[in-house]
Amino acid sequence: MLQQLKAPKLPFRELDLLVKAIGECRSKQEEDRIIAAEVDTLKQRLSDPRLDKSRGREYMVRVIYCEMLGHDASFAYIPALQLASDPNLLTKKAAYVALTQLLDYKHELVLLLVNTLLSDLKSDNFVVVASALVVTSKLIGPDLVNAVLPLVIERLSHPRESVRKKAVMALLHFHQMDPERSGPMAGVELERLLRTALCDKEPSVMAATLNALQVLAAANPAPFRALVPSLTSILKQVVEHRLPKAYDYHRFPAPFIQIKLLKLLRLLGAGDKAASDNMAAMVGATLRRAAAGGSHTIGHAIVYEAVRTVTDTYPNPQLLAAAAEAVAGLIKSSSHNLKYCGLTALAAITR
């Protein structure tokens, strides 16, 4: 009877004690002694052939904690690679997180992870696929892109939006390693893939695609100027509250997506009269709505980005007048940060 009344064992009891002990340290030397003892314990546990894999998740978190405090955790590389192929989802995710913290794409041990990633990218469990895509975005280097690229492109049409979004992020990672597309990305129609993803029915996928488009357009905006009508249409939908309320922030409709769109439009409209004329009406409407939306900081952020878009695209007298009026509100603010933003925006207008 007494055994039945005994409190259940906490799964992360040792981790809790470690964190508590570190929190109570009064010197760096005391902290180092505690972590050194923890490293010795983890070395012994992880090298044991009879390793209790049910505690693998806890061990990975403890390894990350030791690494975070500046101690060498190279002893955990191989055990983490082994736990990444564990069928238990929580253990697999913890091992993946540990690997992304301990290694980088240049590390020679990443090669041992490729087969696990390929298997997980083909999984029927969307959480496993999404986790594999996150690791792909962090640990796959130029020499390994060809091994996973076909599966990543396939995942752009996955039924789950979280997987599609992470596939877009993985493609951006590949592009950043081979921006000239003369290596592993040669022959990949990245612009076409991103245009398709931009039209995704889920706002999260569309928002991830905006990040990728911004990176590509910063290097060469010409191939993306045809997207200006689509981007202004998306901005119109956002400003008119057509996105789910989950994207609202202090009653502003998806403000971070608005800012991404304005930055991208600024790149595409710079020095191009036709593109600037196409976006002018919607940029002006966004500026006016943000200026009238209240005094919250996020509203001022939208105003600032809209003003920068007006000043960096082909000159429009009406928009410049509206931008000057909006900047006056920033300069009159009692906040020094907003005053500085206002002066920066005013300098851009008077350039």
Side-chain angles (χ1 to χ4, degrees):
M1 184 68 177
L2 288 174
Q3 290 179 347
Q4 294 176 352
L5 294 175
K6 192 180 293 184
K9 185 178 179 181
L10 294 174
F12 278 37
R13 176 64 176 166
E14 290 184 7
L15 175 63
D16 292 340
L17 292 175
L18 172 65
V19 174
K20 183 179 179 182
I22 293 297
E24 293 174 351
C25 286
R26 297 191 176 184
S27 68
K28 183 68 169 68
Q29 291 75 18
E30 185 180 355
E31 176 188 293
D32 287 340
R33 284 195 298 271
I34 293 171
I35 294 297
E38 176 69 12
V39 167
D40 290 339
T41 301
L42 289 170
K43 282 182 180 178
Q44 182 181 356
R45 299 267 182 92
L46 292 173
S47 62
D48 189 343
R50 297 170 296 177
L51 172 66
D52 181 5
K53 289 191 175 182
S54 65
R55 298 190 65 188
R57 176 170 50 129
E58 178 194 354
Y59 293 149
M60 289 297 100
V61 176
R62 287 161 67 179
V63 164
I64 293 171
Y65 203 82
C66 293
E67 175 82 7
M68 182 178 68
L69 292 174
H71 290 253
D72 178 45
S74 58
F75 65 89
Y77 292 174
I78 297 299
L81 287 166
Q82 293 169 341
L83 290 171
S85 59
D86 194 89
N88 182 280
L89 180 58
L90 294 177
T91 300
K92 178 186 288 292
K93 284 178 67 68
Y96 271 159
V97 171
L99 288 168
T100 57
Q101 299 304 309
L102 300 173
L103 307 179
D104 61 30
Y105 71 85
K106 298 177 183 178
H107 201 284
E108 57 189 9
L109 287 179
V110 173
L111 183 62
L112 301 179
L113 187 62
V114 173
N115 284 336
T116 301
L117 286 174
L118 291 173
S119 175
D120 288 347
L121 287 170
K122 297 174 185 176
S123 174
D124 293 330
N125 187 326
F126 79 94
V127 178
V128 172
V129 179
S131 300
L133 285 168
V134 171
V135 177
T136 297
S137 300
K138 294 179 179 293
L139 294 184
I140 293 297
D143 54 334
L144 296 175
V145 168
N146 286 330
V148 298
L149 181 59
L151 284 173
V152 171
I153 292 175
E154 284 182 22
R155 295 302 163 261
L156 289 171
S157 56
H158 195 278
R160 292 282 186 161
E161 70 276 6
S162 60
V163 173
R164 299 196 300 274
K165 176 176 73 173
K166 289 174 174 60
V168 170
M169 294 164 64
L171 281 178
L172 174 59
H173 170 66
F174 297 161
H175 166 77
Q176 289 173 323
M177 290 188 295
D178 183 21
E180 301 298 326
R181 278 179 249 175
S182 57
M185 292 293 285
V188 177
E189 297 179 333
L190 189 56
E191 288 82 3
R192 179 183 62 80
L193 295 172
L194 292 178
R195 285 192 185 97
T196 303
L198 182 66
C199 300
D200 197 281
K201 63 181 180 180
E202 291 294 335
S204 62
V205 182
M206 177 267 293
T209 307
L210 291 175
N211 290 328
L213 287 172
Q214 186 176 338
V215 171
L216 270 68
N220 181 18
F224 303 99
R225 287 205 169 103
L227 289 177
V228 169
S230 299
L231 293 170
T232 53
S233 176
I234 293 171
L235 182 58
K236 186 174 188 293
Q237 293 176 50
V238 172
V239 171
E240 293 178 353
H241 275 275
R242 296 189 194 175
L243 266 60
K245 285 190 175 293
Y247 289 90
D248 287 5
Y249 182 71
H250 287 271
R251 298 186 180 180
F252 285 91
F256 302 105
I257 294 179
Q258 288 191 54
I259 289 171
K260 288 178 187 177
L261 285 163
L262 289 168
K263 286 182 176 180
L264 182 53
L265 289 170
R266 181 162 79 236
L267 291 171
L268 300 180
D272 190 287
K273 187 176 187 305
S276 299
D277 289 345
N278 280 335
M279 67 180 75
M282 200 59 239
V283 171
T286 304
L287 174 62
R288 288 189 294 272
R289 282 176 180 256
S295 59
H296 195 274
T297 306
I298 194 62
H300 297 311
I302 297 172
V303 168
Y304 177 77
E305 290 299 338
V307 170
R308 289 296 307 278
T309 302
V310 169
T311 58
D312 288 359
T313 53
Y314 201 85
N316 182 305
Q318 290 79 19
L319 283 182
L320 286 171
E325 185 177 344
V327 165
L330 294 176
I331 294 175
K332 292 176 183 176
S333 171
S334 59
S335 167
H336 294 300
N337 289 332
L338 292 179
K339 283 181 183 292
Y340 179 79
C341 287
L343 290 172
T344 304
L346 182 61
I349 292 175
T350 57
R351 244 192 342 246

